[in-house]
Amino acid sequence: MPAVASKSKKTGRKAARDGRGSLSNSKASSTYSQETTDSTPPKDRGPNVIILSSAGKPIFVRHGSDEDEWSSACGLLQGLRANVLSFDDADSSLGEIQSIQAGNMLIVFLNTKALTLVAISDGENGSQNEGWLRLQLEYTYAQVIFTLTDQIQSIFEQSPSYDLRTMMGPNVDASLRNLLDQFDPPDSDEGTDISASSYNSQGASTFLTAGIECVFPLNPELRDSTSRLLIDTCRGDDTLFALLVIGTRLVTIVQPSNPSSQLHTSDLHLIMTFVGRQPGLLTNELWFPVCLPRFDSSGFLYAYTSCLDPVHTGLSIVLISGNNSTEQFKVFHSAADTVRSNLGLPPLSTVRSSLSASTSSYASSTRDDRRTTTNWSDPLHDDTDTDSDYDDDSERRGSILSRISASGNGASAGRGIAPRPTLGDRQLSMTNYLTHIPRPNSKSVEEKEKAQDGPFVSALKIALLPKQQEDILNQYLDLASAVHFCFRCDIYVQGSSGTSTEGMLTQCFGPPLSFPFTDAQSQRKVWDIYQRLSLRLRLGSSSVETCYDALDMFQGHDSSMSGSISNDCPMQSLLESPPNVHGVTYLQEDNEWLYVGLNGKFFELYATLPATVKPREGTAYCARLVRKLMGDERILFLSNPLTW
């Protein structure tokens, strides 16, 4: 008999999980099972997610195209919800239904004012972790608000039978699917097309850690100078946020100095997923309305995006304003051109005229670059380079850097930038990848005349090389004797006066899941365990009851935040919050893997090690990895996020 977990008002969830919380209508359950199995999701593509109105009308179905079939299923789901709500006597008031466990099938509900969201997992194509499914539903709801604002709630309150699909259209449908795909293991046949490049993007780990993945490794001086270029170029009364991104990874961001006006990580995820997966971004400037649900869910802001380097890196600029006038678009267009020029990139008109030829040859040129630029055995790349070569290269890059930072009026001087290490320092330090940059093979005079990229774009090209990324991540894995890890780092946002604000920019770092976790089911198991470790660090327990009790507290705490959907997204708030105490937790399953969770001030780490490693030793290895990652913070992360 399926077990129902509901939001008990008086007697607690333990009462909802005993005999009083069970469904007695097994026929209805079997009918539902038959209806859902007829439209099984594609292999390894995650749980089904359904959005339905309070009248039981389907609005969005992730897997399944038979409208009549899903209309019946949605009606049954709303009937189950109404059945639980009907238990309203003084002794067993169960409140809103939260989940249903029926054999291997797990159904999780998220109920808002007029919308109900449901995640259905069968244990093979989806997670069996309620918290993880709840997080997916919260992001799904946030994505709907991102496009339509919370005015849809008012529409349904006035007209419950309204068909929201007429407002959503194919773009919203595609955005929802793109977002949900980020939670799932990638398809084995997914390519690395620059138009949707993630460059080893971790996907699920960004949601688990509530952190933004940054492009790495980058010289902090270059990143800081580019941030100041954004400030000097894009500052204006109507400019709220300015970002440089590559795919779904952040390069830099400038925000308001008031912490209450800074972006939540979940809003950043929505922006970067939407922008990073727009097929038309490479060749077009986009100007579109967006609603940032945790910033202000009641109205629209307006985002301008343009790809600054569509041929090589996919570097794009995102500028956000509350002004939707034509004049504001022209201001952003001019600012983007100025940034493009200062970075040494060709004008947009030139890029458009040559993009078709450049795109057609991109795949072959990338393969050639991988064979030549990363040829570490070449004498030009040998560790025995002379100091004079290093100094010449440093001087060349420094002279170009001065052109970028000139508009900053020397603002970066005296900011405590650490001296560059010498080539003699061959310890495991990511600075070696920045100071000992491999030189490409010699170019013709014509190619040299065309190569006008500034040092920042050149550094991006090298940082994004697959060989570069693989070598860095493997060294960190070897340091901890781990097969995988996921690291979160909380960094204070800097105020305009140079002092830290109360706001935090949470970032994450780690390799994608790979061998020996080669199939989707084994990868989902790792993320499920990391989620359990995260709840243990925060709550002391990963049980369903403890989790929902914590969500209740966050809902009560965020209820005063008007104009935000924070009250509807407590799992996001829970994961964004740092653990209350420093701690270590671990889990050992099947005598094969040891999973370790470790947290401290401004960091969290989740790692997978062989079971042959004892927990005490594994914790020591993870602590060593944390020290190294914190030491390389300025190269791996946006370590100095600036404000207007």
Side-chain angles (χ1 to χ4, degrees), residues 197-458:
S197 60
S198 57
Y199 294 102
N200 276 337
S201 179
Q202 302 177 64
S205 66
T206 61
F207 300 105
L208 171 72
T209 61
I212 293 297
E213 189 179 4
C214 286
V215 175
F216 69 90
L218 281 180
N219 188 306
E221 298 176 15
L222 289 175
R223 201 187 307 246
D224 190 65
S225 296
T226 306
S227 299
R228 296 187 182 282
L229 172 63
L230 286 181
I231 292 176
D232 294 334
T233 305
C234 306
R235 185 199 300 268
D237 294 338
D238 294 321
T239 305
L240 294 175
F241 309 100
L243 301 85
L244 289 179
V245 301
I246 295 179
T248 57
R249 297 171 68 179
L250 179 68
V251 177
T252 188
I253 181 174
V254 181
Q255 306 186 74
S257 57
N258 186 350
S260 63
S261 298
Q262 294 168 9
L263 290 178
H264 288 267
T265 305
S266 57
D267 286 346
L268 269 174
H269 278 149
L270 296 177
I271 294 172
M272 297 174 68
T273 299
F274 184 81
V275 172
R277 292 176 173 264
Q278 286 297 311
L281 179 59
L282 291 181
T283 55
N284 299 284
E285 298 172 278
L286 303 181
W287 178 244
F288 52 92
V290 296
C291 174
L292 303 181
R294 301 284 296 282
F295 181 78
D296 184 359
S297 61
S298 62
F300 284 114
L301 299 176
Y302 300 88
Y304 168 91
T305 64
S306 177
C307 189
L308 304 179
D309 184 22
V311 177
H312 297 103
T313 64
L315 178 67
S316 301
I317 187 171
V318 182
L319 303 173
I320 300 177
S321 170
N323 185 351
N324 69 335
S325 65
T326 304
E327 290 74 18
Q328 186 63 43
F329 173 83
K330 293 179 180 178
V331 169
F332 281 167
H333 172 84
S334 176
D337 283 346
T338 302
V339 172
R340 182 183 288 108
S341 175
N342 278 272
L343 293 179
L345 293 167
L348 184 60
S349 57
T350 303
V351 172
R352 283 174 174 169
S353 62
S354 61
L355 185 60
S356 57
S358 300
T359 304
S360 62
S361 62
Y362 172 74
S364 60
S365 65
T366 302
R367 287 193 294 270
D368 292 339
D369 288 342
R370 294 178 184 178
R371 289 196 296 267
T372 58
T373 308
T374 60
N375 185 9
W376 300 97
S377 61
D378 192 286
L380 288 175
H381 308 153
D382 192 60
D383 288 350
T384 58
D385 283 350
T386 62
D387 290 343
S388 60
D389 287 340
Y390 164 76
D391 292 337
D392 291 343
D393 183 63
S394 177
E395 181 179 353
R396 176 182 62 82
R397 289 184 283 132
S399 61
I400 303 176
L401 173 61
S402 63
R403 298 208 307 266
I404 295 181
S405 59
S407 59
N409 298 322
S412 61
R415 292 192 58 81
I417 302 298
R420 192 185 305 274
T422 65
L423 289 178
D425 181 11
R426 303 308 298 170
Q427 298 178 355
L428 179 59
S429 175
M430 293 307 104
T431 52
N432 292 329
Y433 288 93
L434 303 178
T435 61
H436 194 48
I437 295 175
R439 299 176 179 83
N441 289 348
S442 58
K443 298 180 179 180
S444 64
V445 175
E446 181 180 1
E447 288 174 325
K448 289 182 178 179
E449 291 176 351
K450 292 181 179 179
Q452 301 295 326
D453 292 343
F456 184 73
V457 177
S458 299

Side-chain angles (χ1 to χ4, degrees), residues 85 123 310 414 465 609:
L85 286 173
L465 290 174
L609 295 81

Side-chain angles (χ1 to χ4, degrees), residues 34 45 64 96 109 127 140 149 157-158 166 263 312 331 394 414 433 459 497 502 505 509 514 535 554 571 579 639 641:
Q34 179 64 36
R45 292 313 296 161
E96 286 284 2
F109 292 78
S127 169
T140 302
T149 77
E157 288 175 355
Q158 297 174 7
T166 59
L263 290 178
H312 297 103
V331 169
S394 177
Y433 288 93
S497 61
E502 297 179 0
L505 180 62
F509 174 79
S514 57
L535 294 176
F554 273 95
M571 181 59 74
S639 60

Side-chain angles (χ1 to χ4, degrees), residues 48-54 56-63 70-71 74 77-78 110 112 114-120 136-145 148 152-153 156 163-165 168 172-173 176-177 180:
N48 203 355
V49 173
I50 306 170
I51 305 176
L52 57 150
S53 66
S54 57
K57 193 169 187 176
I59 298 171
F60 169 82
V61 179
R62 186 186 185 191
H63 304 307
W70 284 107
S71 294
C74 290
L77 290 171
Q78 282 291 20
L110 172 62
T112 65
L115 293 178
T116 298
L117 294 88
V118 184
I120 305 173
Q136 294 187 47
L137 293 180
E138 290 184 3
Y139 269 99
T140 302
Y141 178 57
Q143 181 67 58
V144 174
I145 302 301
L148 303 175
I152 59 173
Q153 299 284 6
F156 276 112
D163 190 355
L164 188 62
R165 290 173 294 183
M168 293 177 60
V172 179
D173 187 274
L176 288 169
R177 298 180 190 278
L180 290 169

